[in-house]
Amino acid sequence: MRILGIETSCDETAAAVVEDGVKIVFSVVASSAEMHIKTGGIIPEKAAREQLKSIIPVIDEALKESPIKTIDAIGVTVGPGLIGSLLVGIEAAKTLAYAFQKPIIPVNHLVAHIYANFLSDTPPQFPCLCLVVSGGHSDIVLMKGHGDLEWIGGTRDDAAGEAFDKTARLLGLPYPGGPAIGLGAKTFMDKNPDFKLTLFPRPMITDDNFDFSFSGLKTAVLRYTENNKDTDINQLCAEVQQAIVDVLIAKTFKAINKYKPQSLLLAGGVAANLHLRESFAKKAKELDLGFYCPPLPLCTDNAATIASCTFFNQKTFSLKDIEANPELTINDAF
Ligand code: KG4
Ligand code: ZN
């Protein structure tokens, strides 16, 4: 079965054709991130206008360049995300579904991030413990099967990606902050492999729950930099990155200890962080736990994950049921 996935929840406009939920036939992502670098972050109305410019060319490219021309169904992100951006993809998908009389399936963007790990010949074994860390959300969920998710914990305030983005901004680094901080951190750690990174707090790390909080990190960075103007910026990058990774590791492995899953899955844009990937892989190996982490282009927003999620969560919907829901959480079906 071939599914056309469409993703427009934020600043990426993406379309992909995926076969049987596991094989990417063609995938294209257009990003307006370059434009947002100038403003240091996303301005929702500008992101929506860029979506409008890109949506037809991107779908056109996916359908024309795909070696397989027929599609059986359409999956589209309905939330969470920016309302203006979401509406562009949803209306395009509904129009295609109507014109070609194909089934259309609404997709939860956060759940779709997890499916980056299923675009593979060797999919993870259930139950999976998933850490989904993106720019707007950070959640730990237990996935017992397709469509069977249990939320276990998550951020009480800023998402992990948001913490990277906001601290990067304070350090004068470009948007999005995650890659810039990752690079600075790597530069520092390559030169100082044994350096102990203890400058910033790890809130809630020892609390008896699976939640975390990252909003204090930006305040800590602000205070520190105001009083210590000469600290190597690459050290600060490494300090920020380690504070985030330590908390994510502690809470995720606490959940693993309780729920004893077959597999550990990372997902979302922050899963592109090399130090996070290596740290999780090392700990999972110690426990002899199956560890899955998507290839880098599938961590950040794309439509192949949307199409895969569509395949594994097929239900019948009428066009009028497909609506944008900017506030959707990972717990919500649609
Ligand atoms: O999943 P995503 O592409 O979009 C959302 O659904 O939010 O995630 C974007 C987030 C941004 O906050 C960005 O800074 C972060 O992922 N990110 C990274 C890296 N690449 C992207 N964070 C840390 N290290 C990276 N290499
Ligand atoms: Zn995302």
Side-chain angles (χ1 to χ4, degrees), residues 110-333:
L110 298 173
V111 177
H113 268 303
I114 297 173
Y115 278 89
N117 293 291
F118 286 83
L119 285 156
S120 149
D121 295 333
T122 48
Q125 298 291 306
F126 293 120
C128 309
L129 199 288
C130 315
L131 174 68
V132 186
V133 271
S134 72
H137 300 79
S138 294
D139 297 292
I140 300 176
V141 291
L142 185 66
M143 187 180 190
K144 294 176 225 158
H146 297 297
D148 186 358
L149 262 63
E150 182 188 339
W151 183 84
I152 287 171
T155 187
R156 299 250 176 113
D157 40 56
D158 288 356
E162 207 174 349
F164 274 110
D165 295 338
K166 286 180 175 171
T167 50
R169 196 175 174 156
L170 286 173
L171 297 175
L173 296 170
Y175 174 87
I181 289 204
L183 195 64
K186 182 170 178 345
T187 307
F188 182 77
M189 292 315 290
D190 283 350
K191 285 191 198 142
N192 309 277
D194 298 321
F195 196 90
K196 293 276 164 281
L197 299 161
T198 53
L199 217 52
F200 299 129
R202 275 75 167 155
M204 298 179 72
I205 196 162
T206 53
D207 291 9
D208 192 19
N209 55 39
F210 304 109
D211 293 344
F212 24 86
S213 158
F214 289 122
S215 67
L217 190 56
K218 57 180 187 295
T219 319
V221 171
L222 183 64
R223 289 229 178 89
Y224 183 85
T225 48
E226 275 171 359
N227 298 320
N228 302 273
K229 299 218 184 304
D230 296 333
T231 309
D232 177 3
I233 187 163
N234 290 334
Q235 180 194 340
L236 295 175
C237 289
E239 299 277 4
V240 165
Q241 176 178 271
Q242 194 62 50
I244 295 172
V245 169
D246 280 352
V247 174
L248 294 177
I249 290 249
K251 290 304 173 105
T252 306
F253 281 87
K254 190 187 183 79
I256 285 168
N257 197 28
K258 177 168 178 191
Y259 292 96
K260 314 250 179 300
Q262 287 287 320
S263 327
L264 165 63
L265 277 56
L266 288 188
V270 179
N273 183 276
L274 296 182
H275 182 54
L276 183 86
R277 296 162 79 95
E278 284 166 12
S279 308
F280 269 80
K282 193 169 158 220
K283 279 219 77 149
K285 198 169 175 205
E286 284 165 18
L287 297 179
D288 207 15
L289 179 66
F291 174 63
Y292 296 81
C293 193
L296 294 184
L298 294 180
C299 289
T300 43
D301 292 349
N302 66 88
T305 57
I306 306 302
S308 175
C309 185
T310 306
F311 176 82
F312 288 110
N313 296 274
Q314 294 173 41
K315 281 189 201 149
T316 309
F317 290 89
S318 71
L319 280 179
K320 68 172 173 33
D321 295 332
I322 315 290
E323 281 182 348
N325 185 348
E327 308 300 333
L328 210 62
T329 72
I330 200 160
N331 250 346
D332 300 320

Side-chain angles (χ1 to χ4, degrees), residues 55-66:
I55 188 72
I56 298 295
V58 159
I59 293 174
D60 188 50
E61 188 177 342
L63 293 177
K64 278 203 183 123
E65 299 296 325
S66 168

